[in-house]
Amino acid sequence: MTEPAGTEDGTIALGGVGVSPGIAIGRALVLEGPDVAIFRLDLSPASGAGEVTRFQRAIRLAWRQLRHLRDRVRNEAGEAYARVFEAQILILRDRALHQETAALILREHVNAEWAFHTVVGRYTQVFAQLGEPALKDRGTDIEDVEARVQAILAGSRKRHDLSELMEDVIVVSATLGPSDAAGLNRERVIGLAIDGGGPTSHTAIIASALGIPAVAGLRDASARIRTGDLLVLDGSEGRLLVNPAEQVAAVWRERRSRLAQRELDLMMLRDQPAVTREGARVRLQANIELVEEMLAARRFGAEGVGLYRSEFLYLRGAPGFPDEEEHYRAYRELAEKALPHDVVIRTLDLGGDKSFSTIPERREPNPVLGLRGVRLCLRREDLFRTQIRAVLRAAAHGKVRLMFPMISGLEELRRARAIVNEVKDELRVMRVPFEPEVPIGIMIEVPAAALTADRLAREVDFFSIGTNDLIQYTLAIDRGNESVAYLYQPMHPAILHLIRRVVEAAAKTGVRVSVCGEMAAYPVAAVILAGLGVTELSMNPAAIPSVKQVIRAIRLADARALVEEALRLDSPAEIEALARKRVADLAPAEPAAALGGRS
């Protein structure tokens, strides 16, 4: 995210987060908000029962509206995306929410709007305190539900009604709930610009499913833009230009045309394998957080799921934890949708920068080096065993692999595996069907694991190199610290040497090895990784076509030669420059912009 900047021609450039790819050029429609001002009204004690009834009617009407939206999305985007609204429907049916609101109305003799707002505020505070941005995004579902109910209480049956637009617009809003996004007129809404939110919000997922370019995290864009302003929105890079000069707009129109053609070309590769020119195969898989993302994974040609971040499932059960059946249903659906390919389910990876307030572990002075990942699972065996049971049961319905995060040594691995075996014994005694031969792997994301990969390889079926954390821990930098962010360097010689060490250790014992960090989604880095011997790459689904195109354009022998030359260089900048030039030579058809990705 960058500060707003003006240009010599008067264009205002705003920076955010690209959450749905594509370029949109059109006039702005700024949604006014918030929808309803909420005040506390003191009522007579005798009016309490009637106020509770008014609240309950609003809940029932909101429930019917959401069911209608769910059915509409199911028809337009598929069952998986319709389930986004199941979460909101569940919120509306939450008995505690109803009882607490009614109790507040009767106890303090206040209006339903204020009581509901107060109770919902307690829930949203839970999400606001979460350290992980993706988990915070789940709080938008509750806010979306509240806005709908408040609008009904205020007498409006509909919120932002964008279904009857007569011209193409780019919608600009401070917030936009998933239900607003689902209600968009797909023929007329050509882009979304949102002040808040992030790439894992349900709004972003719906926008991506509907193929609408979107940028989130624009902060005060809705206050800076007026309805009718000309906008250029880049949903891939997270940029928004306001009232650009005609020559600038013309450049972006040309860019949009070329992008559309490029996307068409890339999508034609969807069903083609990622093979080098001499026929070496590289499997490209998807990193996902939600089962709903399987549709996008398939659309971009993913060969299964290389990383399913199971911690996001825990938000579905917030404020409590999901039980075994909730785990099982999600994993089974995931496994079945991924067939004939496999799915790697990472066990709970909380702690560090991903806190969860209902896990009552004490606060740590340095949580990134503290009780996180498998360390937390071994401390909280109750949570771990519940998840393992569900994974083993779901594996009977597809090709599931089980992966432990943050392993730093054999002791942790052996203890985790022992628990898996104990859970298997429990299931046998209970005569519960499960898959006893689930492959077990670990994430290689700390230097200790990389340096002892030869020993770890003897006791696992696969490795998955998590480059995001491996870079962070190896280079001793905090990715979220702007003061040292420049030191986050995937092309650092130390990183490449560690990856080579892991790949060589895996090869000696026949262990599969993949990379599931952001590095895999960068086409130049993907060539380096292939040259290092990595045969599986897992990434954001939208990145798959670009990586596939580069893989198909190179020879593996050239990638290996590039690696050998790169490892003789001293600095990340030298390696980066060499790799970019060499890949551009090897894959000349690949546009420079695609080669430039993240570093």
Side-chain angles (χ1 to χ4, degrees):
M1 188 180 302
T2 58
E3 292 294 334
T7 61
E8 292 181 359
D9 61 16
T11 302
I12 296 175
L14 304 177
V17 180
V19 296
S20 181
I23 294 173
I25 302 173
R27 296 291 172 182
L29 173 63
V30 181
L31 301 183
E32 300 295 331
D35 297 325
V36 181
I38 301 168
F39 299 99
R40 174 182 174 124
L41 298 177
D42 294 321
L43 308 177
S44 68
S47 62
E51 194 67 4
V52 171
T53 299
R54 190 168 75 88
F55 166 68
Q56 291 171 337
R57 286 175 179 161
I59 291 288
R60 286 196 293 271
L61 179 54
W63 182 73
R64 288 197 292 271
Q65 290 178 353
L66 281 175
R67 284 177 56 120
H68 175 74
L69 271 174
R70 179 195 61 186
D71 294 343
R72 174 180 172 180
V73 171
R74 176 184 291 137
N75 292 333
E76 294 186 4
E79 178 65 31
Y81 289 87
R83 290 202 179 92
V84 168
F85 296 98
E86 294 289 359
Q88 295 199 2
I89 290 172
L90 284 175
I91 292 170
L92 273 177
R93 295 177 64 182
D94 187 286
R95 185 172 298 178
L97 193 66
H98 298 178
Q99 291 175 341
E100 289 179 35
T101 301
L104 186 57
I105 291 172
L106 297 173
R107 184 175 65 250
E108 298 192 11
H109 314 304
V110 294
N111 53 322
E113 290 90 340
W114 180 258
F116 189 53
H117 179 67
T118 301
V119 173
V120 167
R122 295 171 190 159
Y123 286 77
T124 54
Q125 279 183 359
V126 171
F127 292 93
Q129 293 168 359
L130 299 176
E132 168 60 42
L135 302 186
K136 288 182 178 178
D137 287 338
R138 296 287 84 78
T140 59
D141 284 317
I142 296 180
E143 294 170 353
D144 199 32
V145 167
E146 188 200 356
R148 178 170 300 280
V149 174
Q150 294 290 1
I152 293 171
L153 288 169
S156 172
R157 292 177 61 85
K158 291 185 177 181
R159 299 172 60 202
H160 307 302
D161 189 349
L162 303 176
S163 62
E164 300 176 358
L165 293 169
M166 300 302 290
E167 59 183 14
D168 292 351
V169 296
I170 295 175
V171 170
V172 181
S173 179
T175 61
L176 194 71
S179 58
D180 292 316
L184 297 175
N185 180 335
R186 293 174 60 188
E187 300 298 319
R188 294 302 187 190
V189 176
I190 60 174
L192 296 175
I194 311 166
D195 289 356
T200 57
S201 68
H202 279 157
T203 302
I205 292 170
I206 291 292
S208 179
L210 298 178
I212 301 173
V215 177
L218 287 164
R219 294 189 284 195
D220 59 350
S222 64
R224 300 170 64 90
I225 298 170
R226 295 183 177 181
T227 293
D229 283 348
L230 178 64
L231 301 180
V232 173
L233 180 146
D234 181 353
S236 300
E237 299 296 328
R239 287 177 290 188
L240 185 69
L241 304 183
V242 185
N243 290 325
E246 177 50 37
Q247 60 269 31
V248 174
V251 169
W252 278 90
R253 290 190 186 96
E254 172 62 22
R255 189 175 298 178
R256 181 180 59 183
S257 297
R258 283 189 279 111
L259 178 63
Q261 184 59 51
R262 171 177 158 72
E263 289 177 347
L264 193 61
D265 294 342
L266 288 175
M267 291 310 289
M268 291 179 68
L269 295 176
R270 185 181 68 173
D271 298 324
Q272 300 296 317
V275 293
T276 63
R277 289 169 59 187
E278 68 267 64
R281 182 72 180 269
V282 179
R283 294 184 71 210
L284 303 183
Q285 299 182 296
N287 294 343
I288 65 173
E289 289 88 27
L290 305 168
V291 176
E292 292 90 333
E293 293 176 273
M294 276 302 301
L295 186 61
R298 282 188 174 281
R299 179 154 56 93
F300 289 110
E303 298 179 277
V305 176
L307 175 62
Y308 173 68
R309 301 182 176 100
S310 67
E311 53 273 17
F312 293 88
L313 179 64
Y314 286 71
L315 266 291
R316 295 289 173 89
F321 297 117
D323 60 24
E324 182 180 328
E325 286 304 306
E326 290 174 278
H327 279 287
Y328 168 68
R329 286 195 297 271
Y331 302 153
R332 175 176 176 172
E333 181 180 358
L334 186 65
E336 290 177 338
K337 286 183 179 299
L339 286 172
H341 304 295
D342 57 4
V343 172
V344 177
I345 297 177
R346 182 175 71 185
T347 55
L348 180 63
D349 187 20
L350 291 180
D353 59 348
K354 290 177 284 191
S355 60
F356 197 69
S357 60
T358 50
I359 293 181
E361 302 297 341
R362 62 181 175 79
R363 290 190 176 276
E364 300 174 295
N366 195 347
V368 174
L369 300 178
L371 193 64
R372 56 167 301 194
V374 77
R375 303 170 185 178
L376 179 61
C377 289
L378 296 179
R379 177 72 65 87
R380 289 293 305 269
E381 282 195 24
D382 56 329
L383 298 178
F384 194 43
R385 288 174 180 273
T386 297
Q387 184 173 29
I388 296 299
R389 275 196 300 272
V391 172
L392 294 174
R393 291 173 56 201
H397 302 278
K399 298 178 181 177
V400 173
R401 290 189 276 160
L402 179 64
M403 182 168 69
F404 306 131
M406 198 65 184
I407 290 286
S408 61
L410 279 170
E411 293 82 2
E412 288 173 330
L413 172 60
R414 289 170 177 166
R415 180 57 192 146
R417 291 201 67 133
I419 290 174
V420 172
N421 289 332
E422 291 167 12
V423 171
K424 288 180 182 177
D425 291 339
E426 294 170 6
L427 292 171
R428 287 190 185 97
V429 171
M430 298 171 66
R431 298 182 181 278
V432 175
F434 71 99
E435 171 52 60
E437 303 299 329
V438 171
I440 292 179
I442 61 172
M443 290 196 72
I444 301 290
E445 51 190 338
V446 299
L451 292 169
T452 58
D454 54 339
R455 302 178 188 187
L456 293 166
R458 299 178 197 139
E459 303 191 23
V460 297
D461 299 299
F462 66 93
F463 286 152
S464 185
I465 304 173
T467 51
N468 296 351
D469 275 341
L470 184 62
I471 294 167
Q472 175 170 261
Y473 289 122
T474 302
L475 304 182
I477 59 104
D478 179 352
R479 285 183 290 159
N481 185 337
E482 294 181 359
S483 299
V484 294
Y486 70 98
L487 290 172
Y488 186 82
Q489 297 164 325
M491 298 293 188
H492 194 290
I495 303 301
L496 302 188
H497 280 289
L498 282 177
I499 294 175
R500 164 171 274 190
R501 186 185 185 103
V502 173
V503 172
E504 290 177 347
K508 289 178 181 175
T509 52
V511 165
R512 294 168 65 172
V513 58
S514 68
V515 168
C516 63
E518 291 183 19
M519 189 175 174
Y522 174 31
V524 169
V527 174
I528 291 278
L529 293 170
L532 283 166
V534 177
T535 56
E536 298 180 17
L537 302 173
S538 191
M539 63 200 76
N540 182 314
I544 290 175
S546 293
V547 172
K548 181 182 290 185
Q549 187 180 51
V550 170
I551 293 295
R552 289 175 62 86
I554 64 166
R555 292 195 318 134
L556 187 58
D558 291 330
R560 288 171 175 160
L562 166 61
V563 167
E564 295 306 319
E565 191 173 349
L567 289 177
R568 289 195 291 271
L569 299 177
D570 296 325
S571 74
E574 290 176 309
I575 296 175
E576 173 85 13
L578 171 69
R580 286 174 58 85
K581 181 179 185 309
R582 195 59 52 81
V583 173
D585 292 340
L586 296 172
E590 183 68 5
L595 300 177
R598 55 176 64 85
S599 61

